[in-house]
Amino acid sequence: MTPDLPTLSGLGRARYPLFWLVGALGVAALILTIQGVHAQLGDASLWTTLFAPDRTNLREVLVRDSLLPRTAMTLLCGAALALAGTLAQQVLRNPLAEPMTLGIFPGAYLALMLAELWAPAWLASGRVAVALAGGALAMTMVFGLAWRARMSSLAVILAGMIVNLYCGAISLAITLSHFDLLRGLMMWGGGMLDQTGWGDSRHLFAQLLACVAATLLLRRSLRVFEAGDATVRSLGIHLERTRLAALAIAVALTACVVAAVGVIGFVGLAAPTIARLAGARRLGQRLIGAPCLGAVLLWLTDQLVQALASWPLFSANLVATGTVTSLLGVPLLLFLLPRLRSQPDLHAPAVAAVSSASLGRRLPFAIVGLVGVVALSFGVSRGLTGWHIADGAQTRALFFWRFPHLVAAMSAGVLLSIAGTLIQRVTRNPMASPDLLGVSSGGALGIVVVLFAGFAPTALALFVGCLAGAIATLGVLLSIGARASFAPQRLLLIGVAISALFQALVSAWLASGDPRAGLMMNFVIGSTYYVEPTAAYTAGALALAALVLGPLLHRWLETLSLGPAIAAGLGVPVARARFVILLFASVLTAASTLIVGPLSFVGLVAPHVARYIGARQPRAQLIVGALFGGLLMGFSDWLGRQVMFPQEMPAGLVATLLGGAYLVFLMLRAGRR
């Protein structure tokens, strides 16, 4: 036995509660499985059903060719996704890395959506090939964006986030216009494990074995990644090649699962993270423990889904296993989170910054662009007779309608940009954005509760629901974070868990066929159409207040970027400073969520753009980032009204497409340098 691959008995020692966790979950899943098989078979023999089934007995056929293959597929999918997440987190040194970060899930989903609408014959003859092609293309885009940056950890993660956002934004745009036609595909997007035989399970088992063999060949090189890129290179290991090989294995594992059963999120994030929290510190321990945990976690989840399906309340609706996985995994992750001790390596800059001397030359162009957006919003529009420039009378006539929408959009951009800059600075994580704190998702979850509870979807009810959800999420975030002096990595993991929970609930609702899901869809992608003037002007006042108060935190931000030990040595109260900054950022995020929904891509891209044009210091980055965020959202609001006239494309969707394109340009340009 090699020293880096512990035995299962080693995992069972008192210091490794992971073994007992896997055992407890496995026993619970086994009991439910036995009960389900017994209820289906009745007095028939399981041995006879397995090896000599009566093909005229429908119960025996269902057990042998449906229930048992489904269990096998569940175990294989959970293990594959957990192994993929373990590899991604190891080579990227980031506890937030998972198969979704690599772009496979949204790429495969988008490919199937396009084929469903415009090439249905492809699905009839090659659904697996379509899903694999979409996932592979998305991964190719990620590698292409990160290649010029030598496949660095941060470059891969940023590229994956861009591809995810792009594929997700395009999928949402298509869903808005073809909602009824894509309802069945939405259910597949939640992960469906139904089986009609053993063929798919055997294929996935062979693919998993091949990926495990490839992982074993890389295990010695992978262990060194925990020491950092410089150490890996000093030991003579080809960093980029090894990272690319490990990510390719993760891609293959994820693509095989997507092609077999659809999208099952959160397992790739939860299983490796919970394994580490439960005591599996070494890579060898995680390579064994995480797949085992992922397998039993998905197995137990699927058994609960099948048990719920027998209840009268749920019997009329299909419940996707991937959705319920998040509902179970999130509480388990939050329960074990206080044991987290790992520190990801995320301190490298996202893009190369130019000389700060160029800031003074480029800033006027941004101001001119901001003025130009205001002029476009009021003076240029598309009507029944085509494009035209409005005269004074037309501008005054439409001022009462366009001005509040413009104020709301630009204010949301400012709020999100400042929040994103604060979060990235205090966490020293250039990939952090407001949605990673989960506050925006919590606010959107409040909207879901209001609509699902049967309340009338009035502006006041939606406002109260969103505010309550945002405040509740912030309370949970600060309560748990206070136990670890608001350690950034702890807060980010909490936010990701909350966001995963929200996304799972929304996905399940969209697939249910509820007519209120259309209203929720408009809110999720950030439309300013329903914003009242009072709310818009309130958001404008908050944006101005944030522009004044944000720069006052520059000393704390600059000192915290040096690390908590140095900051404490310089007299900064680290815990209090983190609390104040994150509370301020969360309030700004909640305020923007109340206006345009859980739009957060602006909060990711604006700080990078500000740094690129020379705003390196916190005060300058806050102001320049806010200026760019307001410009981007204002232009997106105008463009969204024109591009699909007479229909309106939500400003949040347009901002994602435009901001992502600009961030891609920055990454490519930085890579060439």
Side-chain angles (χ1 to χ4, degrees):
M1 181 65 66
T2 56
D4 59 313
L5 290 177
T7 61
L8 290 180
S9 61
L11 288 174
R13 297 172 186 169
R15 59 178 300 192
Y16 296 128
L18 174 61
F19 179 84
W20 306 110
L21 177 62
V22 171
L25 295 177
V27 169
L30 181 60
I31 292 174
L32 291 176
T33 302
I34 294 175
Q35 290 178 347
V37 172
H38 178 71
Q40 186 66 41
L41 284 180
D43 297 332
S45 170
L46 178 60
W47 183 267
T48 302
T49 300
L50 288 176
F51 298 101
D54 181 3
R55 292 297 180 179
T56 62
N57 188 327
L58 182 59
R59 290 178 175 271
E60 294 187 14
V61 172
L62 287 176
V63 170
R64 185 180 186 277
D65 296 332
S66 181
L67 290 182
L68 296 181
R70 176 169 179 158
T71 300
M73 178 62 75
T74 300
L75 292 170
L76 292 172
C77 289
L81 292 175
L83 180 58
T86 302
L87 292 173
Q89 292 182 13
Q90 180 69 15
V91 297
L92 299 178
R93 297 190 303 281
N94 180 3
L96 303 178
E98 59 161 327
M100 186 70 75
T101 306
L102 301 177
I104 305 302
F105 283 152
Y109 185 78
L110 178 58
L112 286 169
M113 180 177 291
L114 295 174
E116 180 82 18
L117 293 175
W118 292 292
W122 292 4
L123 296 182
S125 59
R127 185 184 185 93
V128 173
V130 172
L132 285 173
L137 180 59
M139 190 66 254
T140 301
M141 294 173 61
V142 173
F143 285 167
L145 291 175
W147 187 261
R148 292 181 179 272
R150 304 183 67 181
M151 293 293 294
S152 68
S153 170
L154 183 59
V156 173
I157 295 171
L158 282 175
M161 292 183 68
I162 293 171
V163 172
N164 286 337
L165 287 167
Y166 250 71
C167 293
I170 297 173
S171 298
L172 286 174
I174 296 175
T175 303
L176 277 178
S177 57
H178 301 85
F179 186 79
D180 293 332
L181 297 176
L182 296 173
R183 189 169 298 164
L185 188 61
M186 293 178 198
M187 178 58 70
W188 180 89
M192 301 299 295
L193 291 165
D194 302 86
Q195 298 295 302
T196 58
W198 290 89
D200 292 340
S201 300
R202 286 195 292 266
H203 292 157
L204 184 58
F205 179 69
Q207 294 160 350
L208 178 58
L209 283 181
C211 291
V212 168
T215 301
L216 293 177
L217 295 177
L218 290 175
R219 71 182 186 277
R220 296 188 182 277
S221 300
L222 293 176
R223 283 186 301 163
V224 188
F225 271 79
E226 297 178 353
D229 291 358
T231 303
V232 174
R233 289 193 177 95
S234 66
L235 294 176
I237 299 174
H238 197 293
L239 176 67
E240 292 79 11
R241 188 179 302 166
T242 305
R243 178 171 287 153
L244 180 61
L247 291 178
I249 296 173
V251 169
L253 289 166
T254 309
C256 291
V257 172
V258 171
V261 299
V263 178
I264 300 180
F266 197 70
V267 175
L269 170 67
T273 303
I274 295 175
R276 184 187 294 271
L277 296 175
R281 305 299 186 195
R282 296 166 55 191
L283 174 63
Q285 298 165 351
R286 294 196 299 277
L287 287 176
I288 293 178
C292 292
L293 179 60
V296 297
L297 180 62
L298 190 58
W299 182 21
L300 176 60
T301 302
D302 188 55
Q303 291 302 315
L304 292 175
V305 168
Q306 295 184 58
L308 287 175
S310 63
W311 292 10
L313 180 62
F314 298 99
S315 59
N317 297 294
L318 292 175
V319 182
T321 302
T323 298
V324 184
T325 303
S326 297
L327 302 181
L328 296 179
V330 169
L332 184 59
L333 179 61
L334 295 180
F335 175 75
L336 292 174
L337 202 55
R339 298 175 57 88
L340 182 64
R341 295 292 183 270
S342 63
Q343 298 292 327
D345 180 17
L346 296 170
H347 301 163
V351 293
V354 300
S355 172
S356 59
S358 64
L359 176 60
R361 297 194 303 268
R362 301 190 182 193
L363 192 57
F365 290 99
I367 298 176
V368 171
L370 198 62
V371 175
V373 166
V374 176
L376 277 175
S377 182
F378 289 106
V380 180
S381 62
R382 185 180 175 186
L384 297 177
T385 59
W387 292 91
H388 68 276
I389 299 177
D391 55 25
Q394 293 172 332
T395 301
R396 289 190 296 272
L398 294 176
F399 182 84
F400 78 98
W401 179 66
R402 290 182 178 174
F403 184 70
H405 288 183
L406 180 63
V407 170
M410 298 182 71
S411 300
V414 170
L415 293 172
L416 286 168
S417 300
I418 295 177
T421 303
L422 292 175
I423 294 171
Q424 290 183 14
R425 284 280 180 173
V426 75
T427 62
R428 298 189 296 157
N429 181 353
M431 65 161 284
S433 58
D435 67 319
L436 289 183
L437 281 182
V439 177
S440 58
S441 295
L445 187 58
I447 295 290
V448 174
V449 172
V450 169
L451 295 178
F452 186 76
F455 295 103
T458 62
L460 179 60
L462 296 178
F463 177 86
V464 172
C466 185
L467 181 62
I471 292 177
T473 304
L474 180 61
V476 172
L477 185 73
L478 297 178
S479 174
I480 298 178
R483 303 176 185 177
S485 300
F486 303 99
Q489 289 74 30
R490 189 77 53 84
L491 296 177
L492 289 175
L493 278 174
I494 297 171
V496 168
I498 295 173
S499 298
L501 178 63
F502 161 71
Q503 292 170 3
L505 292 177
V506 171
S507 297
W509 195 14
L510 292 177
S512 67
D514 195 306
R516 295 168 293 183
L519 178 61
M520 185 64 201
M521 181 73 71
N522 284 315
F523 178 80
V524 166
I525 45 186
S527 175
T528 61
Y529 186 82
Y530 300 101
V531 176
E532 298 290 336
T534 302
Y537 300 143
T538 302
L542 289 175
L544 291 176
L547 282 171
V548 174
L549 297 177
L552 299 180
L553 302 171
H554 74 96
R555 179 177 176 272
W556 279 355
L557 293 172
E558 194 167 5
T559 308
L560 287 174
S561 64
L562 303 175
I566 298 178
L570 295 175
V572 174
V574 175
R576 188 193 312 165
R578 286 174 172 172
F579 172 79
V580 171
I581 295 173
L582 290 173
L583 176 62
F584 186 49
S586 300
V587 171
L588 299 182
T589 304
S592 64
T593 303
L594 294 174
I595 301 300
V596 295
L599 171 68
S600 58
F601 190 69
V602 175
L604 171 66
V605 69
H608 289 286
V609 173
R611 183 184 301 164
Y612 178 79
I613 67 174
R616 298 181 179 181
Q617 300 301 318
R619 184 188 287 112
Q621 189 179 17
L622 284 168
I623 296 175
V624 175
L627 188 63
F628 177 81
L631 188 154
L632 176 60
M633 279 300 300
F635 180 74
S636 300
D637 182 66
W638 171 82
L639 186 61
R641 294 198 305 267
Q642 317 303 328
V643 68
M644 295 181 62
F645 181 84
Q647 297 180 349
E648 179 181 358
M649 181 179 290
L653 178 59
V654 179
T656 298
L657 297 175
L658 295 179
Y662 193 68
L663 187 56
V664 168
F665 166 75
L666 295 184
M667 292 185 66
L668 293 176
R669 186 167 181 175
R672 286 194 296 268
R673 294 185 178 184

